[in-house]
Amino acid sequence: MIELIRTNDPVVISFVESLLRDAGIAFFVADQNMSIMEGSLGILPRRIMIDEDDRAAARQLLKDADIDHEVRFDDENNA
């Protein structure tokens, strides 16, 4: 799996989850339960992970929703 986004914003996480679910793209929210450790302060970012084969479709989905600025574009994970 590759990281699609990393954010502290629960609204963005929820919106992206909804977009991916509606598009039939499998995803996993990593670090979701870390809020227990941090006391729900929102300090630790959550990551949405997707299968590498879904990278192009997920990026296009976020671009169409005008939130593609949230996508991680690093050469190691998401070239």
Side-chain angles (χ1 to χ4, degrees), residues 2-6 12 16 50 55 58-63 67-74 78:
I2 62 168
E3 182 178 314
L4 179 64
I5 68 166
R6 178 184 302 204
V12 171
V16 172
I50 60 169
R55 178 190 312 169
R59 283 185 176 175
Q60 186 62 49
L61 189 64
L62 297 186
K63 183 178 179 181
I67 59 169
D68 54 324
H69 60 278
E70 296 286 347
V71 177
R72 283 183 61 94
F73 291 105
D74 62 307
N78 299 334

Side-chain angles (χ1 to χ4, degrees), residues 1-7 9-21 25-32 45-51 58 62 67 70-72 78:
M1 295 195 100
I2 62 168
E3 182 178 314
L4 179 64
I5 68 166
R6 178 184 302 204
T7 183
D9 189 335
V11 174
V12 171
I13 292 286
S14 179
F15 184 54
V16 172
E17 284 180 303
S18 178
L19 290 172
L20 293 173
R21 190 176 300 110
I25 297 174
F27 64 92
F28 171 75
V29 181
D31 306 321
Q32 186 168 345
R46 298 348 175 230
R47 297 173 293 147
I48 294 187
M49 311 295 288
I50 60 169
D51 189 274
L62 297 186
I67 59 169
E70 296 286 347
V71 177
R72 283 183 61 94
N78 299 334

Side-chain angles (χ1 to χ4, degrees), residues 26-45:
F27 64 92
F28 171 75
V29 181
D31 306 321
Q32 186 168 345
N33 295 321
M34 290 302 292
S35 64
I36 295 168
M37 301 285 290
E38 69 177 24
S40 299
L41 297 174
I43 297 169
L44 299 173

